[in-house]
């Protein structure tokens, strides 16, 4: 079976990820780098976008070139931390629509609890990229993807910055059709289901809430 896991280990991504991991990196830099990493990952995650031929007149000649075939895209950040990835992607694809899904992990059970959802009306016709910096147990991303599939979406990708092996297994099991894009896969989860070595609590570090 085609491997749906794409580990994007470009040197620029690895360098930026190391800055994110450093506990001494402050809120401003952390937020900026999350956005940059999302932009770099987006470059790879959109590699299969279809192209069409268009005729263009350069200052020297008329010729046929490639242009995006107008495939409709939506990005869906999982609140809160996924919001940090939105701007980087919109810089590359300014016409993408943005849906939002609010989920938090119950601190006791680690199970995802949904508290907000707002999707573009034509979401079922769009290719969707779900955004969340962290794929830990995979519960939040899996629930978000199930929810988005409920709207009739058929073409869904998941973009994370860091993943744990358990999260990847969860998505592979629950959503074998979904391509996963990550900058790194870490060793394990700790007893609180945090990724180790990881980068800590992504939402708190993006929004300065700790
Ligand atoms: C974090 C993270 C993911 C989730 C990952 O969100 O941003 O959404 O945990 O964990 P999982 O793979 O085990 O589900 P959190 O619940 O801390 O909410 P927040 O983004 O509002 O801080
Ligand atoms: N959520 C985070 O923000 N960090 C983790 O390591 C796991 C879940």
């Amino acid at each position: 079976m085609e491997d749906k896991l794409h580990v994007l280990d470009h040197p620029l991504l690895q360098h930026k990820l190391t800055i994110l991991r450093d506990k001494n990196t402050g809120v401003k830099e952390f937020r900026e780098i999350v956005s940059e990493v999302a932009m770099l990952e987006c470059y790879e995650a959109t590699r299969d976008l279809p192209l069409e031929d268009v005729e263009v007149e350069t200052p020297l000649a008329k010729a046929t070139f490639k242009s995006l075939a107008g495939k409709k895209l939506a990005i869906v950040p999982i609140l809160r931390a996924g919001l940090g990835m939105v701007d980087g992607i919109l810089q590359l694809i300014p016409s993408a629509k943005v849906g939002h899904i609010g989920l938090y992990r119950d601190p006791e059970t680690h199970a995802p609890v949904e508290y907000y959802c707002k999707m573009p009306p034509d979401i079922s016709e769009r290719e969707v990229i779900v955004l969340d910096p962290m794929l830990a147990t995979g519960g939040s991303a899996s629930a978000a993807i199930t929810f988005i599939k409920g709207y009739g979406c058929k073409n869904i990708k998941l973009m994370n910055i860091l993943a744990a092996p358990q999260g990847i297994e969860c998505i592979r099991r629950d959503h074998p059709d979904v391509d996963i894009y990550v900058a790194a896969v870490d060793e394990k989860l700790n007893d609180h289901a945090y990724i180790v070595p990881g980068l800590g609590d992504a939402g708190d570090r993006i929004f300065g809430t700790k």
Side-chain angles (χ1 to χ4, degrees):
M1 198 178 85
E2 178 202 354
D3 194 1
K4 296 283 197 181
L5 174 65
H6 308 266
V7 182
L8 309 172
D9 57 356
H10 189 285
L12 284 174
L13 277 169
Q14 291 189 54
H15 177 82
K16 288 177 192 294
L17 182 52
T18 299
I19 300 172
L20 292 180
R21 289 181 187 280
D22 187 339
K23 68 177 186 182
N24 295 313
T25 300
V27 174
K28 177 174 181 290
E29 195 181 6
F30 191 91
R31 202 180 282 151
E32 286 168 359
I33 293 178
V34 164
S35 184
E36 287 171 10
V37 167
M39 189 197 295
L40 292 167
E41 287 195 59
C42 179
Y43 186 77
E44 285 297 330
T46 52
R47 194 172 266 289
D48 60 353
L49 283 181
L51 295 168
E52 63 187 4
D53 288 339
V54 292
E55 196 171 88
V56 168
E57 204 171 340
T58 78
L60 300 180
K62 215 184 240 183
T64 301
F65 301 100
K66 298 292 178 193
S67 177
L68 284 175
K71 187 160 184 178
K72 293 174 160 183
L73 202 79
I75 53 175
V76 178
I78 301 178
L79 307 182
R80 289 176 303 170
L83 288 175
M85 301 172 76
V86 169
D87 280 356
I89 298 202
L90 290 181
Q91 283 194 42
L92 279 188
I93 313 174
S95 61
K97 294 276 176 70
V98 185
H100 293 86
I101 182 159
L103 296 172
Y104 69 86
R105 292 199 314 181
D106 182 287
E108 301 296 325
T109 65
H110 307 140
V113 182
E114 187 204 321
Y115 61 88
Y116 183 78
C117 181
K118 181 85 181 171
M119 296 292 156
D122 59 352
I123 187 86
S124 64
E125 298 158 29
R126 292 178 176 268
E127 173 172 336
V128 176
I129 305 180
V130 177
L131 308 176
D132 194 326
M134 310 305 275
L135 183 65
T137 65
S140 305
S142 178
I145 293 167
T146 300
F147 200 78
I148 293 164
K149 283 182 174 173
Y151 281 81
C153 298
K154 302 252 176 314
N155 194 346
I156 300 173
K157 291 174 176 170
L158 173 63
M159 189 189 294
N160 307 108
I161 293 178
L162 261 187
Q166 292 91 328
I168 290 164
E169 280 321 301
C170 172
I171 301 300
R172 280 181 164 151
R173 184 186 62 236
D174 295 353
H175 302 289
D177 54 309
V178 168
D179 281 278
I180 309 167
Y181 296 85
V182 293
V185 180
D186 275 8
E187 192 190 327
K188 60 182 181 186
L189 298 177
N190 69 11
D191 293 344
H192 303 285
Y194 272 79
I195 299 174
V196 180
L199 52 74
D201 188 306
D204 281 342
R205 296 197 65 189
I206 290 168
F207 296 107
T209 43
K210 206 167 183 186

